[in-house]
Amino acid sequence: MADPIQIASYQVLDVLGRGGMGVVYKAIHENGEAAAVKTVRVATESTLESIRREILMLRELRHPGVVAIRDHGVALDGVPWYAMDLLHGRTLRDDLRSWFPA
């Protein structure tokens, strides 16, 4: 699946990361607010079900250590996505590199 340039009302600016299931994009909402938008990497039955469960769970979860879902939906190609606040800071990978230098 090619990287999209638009997901609903979010213009995709860059890829923030890719994991086993999903891709997280740096995006900007039409109102000008920055966001992180997650969707699946490859639209298989299992990845689509996984992101749907993730969306349902995160919509209900409220915790200061978990980024809340700001928006969610299904893209024109039928792939679910969700948007959350774009956070800036260190990643687990950054910390692992500092704790366990090569």
Side-chain angles (χ1 to χ4, degrees):
M1 166 184 311
D3 291 330
I5 57 170
Q6 187 84 21
I7 299 174
S9 55
Y10 295 88
Q11 178 186 0
V12 173
L13 304 175
D14 199 5
V15 175
L16 291 173
R18 296 179 191 273
M21 179 190 84
V23 181
V24 180
Y25 299 99
K26 179 179 182 180
I28 190 157
H29 188 268
E30 61 190 18
N31 68 11
E33 292 182 10
V37 178
K38 182 175 181 179
T39 188
V40 294
R41 189 175 182 150
V42 178
T44 66
E45 189 174 326
S46 65
T47 59
L48 292 175
E49 183 57 32
S50 290
I51 197 168
R52 285 184 190 108
R53 279 194 314 268
E54 197 171 310
I55 291 168
L56 290 172
M57 186 181 325
L58 289 173
R59 278 189 350 197
E60 304 300 320
L61 186 60
R62 299 289 181 262
H63 186 278
V66 177
V67 178
I69 288 183
R70 172 193 297 184
D71 196 4
H72 63 92
V74 177
L76 294 177
D77 57 2
V79 175
W81 59 269
Y82 67 88
M84 57 199 132
D85 292 334
L86 179 63
L87 302 179
H88 300 281
R90 296 177 56 83
T91 66
L92 177 58
R93 178 176 286 158
D94 295 333
D95 286 337
L96 289 174
R97 285 184 183 142
S98 67
W99 297 333
F100 304 103

